[in-house]
Amino acid sequence: MRMKTLNSGSIDRIELMQTFIRIVESGNLSAAATQLGTSQPTISRRLQALEQLLGLKLILRTTHALKLTDDGERCYAQARQLLATWHALEDELTGASDDPVGTLRVRAPHAFGQDQLIAPLVDYLRRYPRLNVEWMLNDRTPDFVAENVDCAIQVGAPTDPSAVAILLAEIPRIVVASPELLAQHPMVQKPEQLPDLPWLALSSFYRNEITLKRISDGEASNMAITPRLISDSLYAVRKAALAGMGAAIVSAWVVQEDLATGTLIQLTPAWQAAPLPVWLTWPWASYYPARLRQFIAMIREVMPQLAGTQPASSKG
């Protein structure tokens, strides 16, 4: 690439590269402006400055989309590598290689992220006063690039084959119902009797069929159910179960107090649903800042110790 001299004085080339990467990864100038906390005209000016600096057309803009030129494709690949190297150098020279600074953007499961994970998150923030965290609660798998997410804690198997993924722990799941509901039906003594109860479904993991496994030998039992209420919220399903609306399969951690007080009762304790794996995922890169490296180390340590989780099985 041939550089051209500009008359605009000193230009922050790193900033121009960062802006170009954000434009490409977010898909448009407006989204890039939002993510960088600036205006769309500023983003447009930076893109024009970079193209003038390099003497190349990097992006073709149409009414509906942006398209990288061949030079833009090469520039994007090199810019990512260049910035990774620059950030590594910056961390080393400023002594920040092991001291998290800046903003870490984390996606976490809605229920688990506002309950079990808050305490370790607060401890992490107290340990590193120069760190900020954007804690985004959503149960779907993020688009790391488009949504500018650094890492994600997700329940269930990862679906992005390009992401790095480590299994953190497992969440046991049990069948529960309220005493009021059970008083209206014959005593449930074996799994085959469960479909006779009214049911609640957690649509993220089951709707019209449940599968339980016997703890002692792993034998499976599949049963069809007809839910009276289907929700994607674990808290909503718990509330409906407490109200006597139906039986449900829930993560054990969310009903620990209910079981202790007797407001919910565990059914067929010798049979449970398969535990849910908890994964930590993040996009591959040649360099990871300290804020991400330290968070990965912290969450790997604390996750198996949280109430309501268990260490991942060797099969995970």
Side-chain angles (χ1 to χ4, degrees):
M1 292 184 183
R2 181 172 58 88
M3 294 288 190
K4 287 191 175 182
T5 303
L6 296 181
N7 297 322
S8 56
S10 176
I11 293 179
D12 187 337
R13 290 171 171 80
I14 295 297
E15 182 179 61
L16 297 184
M17 289 294 186
Q18 287 175 324
T19 300
F20 176 62
I21 290 171
R22 278 291 95 219
I23 293 171
V24 174
E25 295 183 349
S26 64
N28 59 71
L29 302 186
S30 178
T34 299
Q35 293 178 8
L36 291 174
T38 187
S39 66
Q40 183 171 329
T42 297
I43 295 297
S44 181
R45 284 194 297 271
R46 290 179 187 171
L47 175 59
Q48 292 171 8
L50 181 62
E51 290 180 329
Q52 186 179 358
L53 178 69
L54 299 175
L56 299 168
K57 188 67 175 176
L58 302 176
I59 292 179
L60 299 176
R61 281 179 276 183
T62 67
T63 305
H64 302 291
L66 300 179
K67 185 179 187 304
L68 284 174
T69 64
D70 290 343
D71 288 325
E73 293 278 6
R74 290 195 295 273
C75 182
Y76 172 67
Q78 293 293 330
R80 283 178 60 90
Q81 184 176 352
L82 174 65
L83 282 183
T85 303
W86 170 259
H87 289 313
L89 174 63
E90 190 176 41
D91 277 357
E92 181 178 351
L93 294 180
T94 60
S97 57
D98 294 316
D99 185 13
V101 298
T103 299
L104 180 71
R105 298 171 179 87
V106 184
R107 174 72 61 78
H110 196 272
F112 209 62
Q114 65 178 297
D115 197 302
Q116 301 295 84
L117 292 174
I118 291 299
L121 176 63
V122 169
D123 288 342
Y124 184 65
L125 285 168
R126 285 175 175 160
R127 199 182 318 161
Y128 302 112
R130 294 197 294 162
L131 174 71
N132 304 311
V133 171
E134 288 188 20
W135 191 246
M136 297 164 282
L137 303 183
N138 194 306
D139 292 315
R140 65 177 177 80
T141 302
D143 183 330
F144 291 105
V145 172
E147 300 175 47
N148 198 22
V149 173
D150 293 308
C151 64
I153 301 164
Q154 56 189 93
V155 176
T159 56
D160 183 354
S162 66
V164 182
I166 54 174
L167 183 59
L168 297 172
E170 293 177 339
I171 300 176
R173 293 188 297 159
I174 60 177
V175 183
V176 298
S178 70
E180 292 77 14
L181 177 74
L182 297 176
Q184 302 170 24
H185 297 271
M187 182 180 298
V188 176
Q189 296 180 317
K190 50 188 178 180
E192 293 77 14
Q193 296 174 286
L194 289 172
D196 297 333
L197 298 174
W199 268 84
L200 310 168
L202 185 60
S203 59
S204 306
F205 302 107
Y206 70 96
R207 292 178 69 94
N208 303 113
E209 184 181 47
I210 60 172
T211 299
L212 300 180
K213 289 187 177 181
R214 187 157 53 194
I215 297 175
S216 60
D217 58 9
E219 179 184 340
S221 179
N222 301 314
M223 291 156 281
I225 59 172
T226 305
R228 297 209 56 205
L229 173 68
I230 299 175
S231 175
D232 63 353
S233 167
L234 178 59
Y235 286 135
V237 169
R238 170 183 169 267
K239 285 283 191 179
L242 286 168
M245 182 58 63
I249 294 176
V250 296
S251 300
W253 67 266
V254 82
V255 293
Q256 284 181 322
E257 293 185 7
D258 304 319
L259 296 174
T261 59
T263 50
L264 286 176
I265 295 174
Q266 182 179 357
L267 305 181
T268 61
W271 296 74
Q272 294 185 4
L276 296 175
V278 183
W279 292 80
L280 180 66
T281 63
W282 63 91
W284 184 90
S286 58
Y287 169 75
Y288 300 110
R291 58 182 174 272
L292 178 57
R293 298 197 310 270
Q294 297 285 17
F295 181 82
I296 292 171
M298 179 275 290
I299 210 70
R300 292 187 72 172
E301 178 183 356
V302 304
M303 182 66 72
Q305 304 171 13
L306 294 179
T309 68
Q310 61 191 28
S313 66
S314 58
K315 295 181 291 184

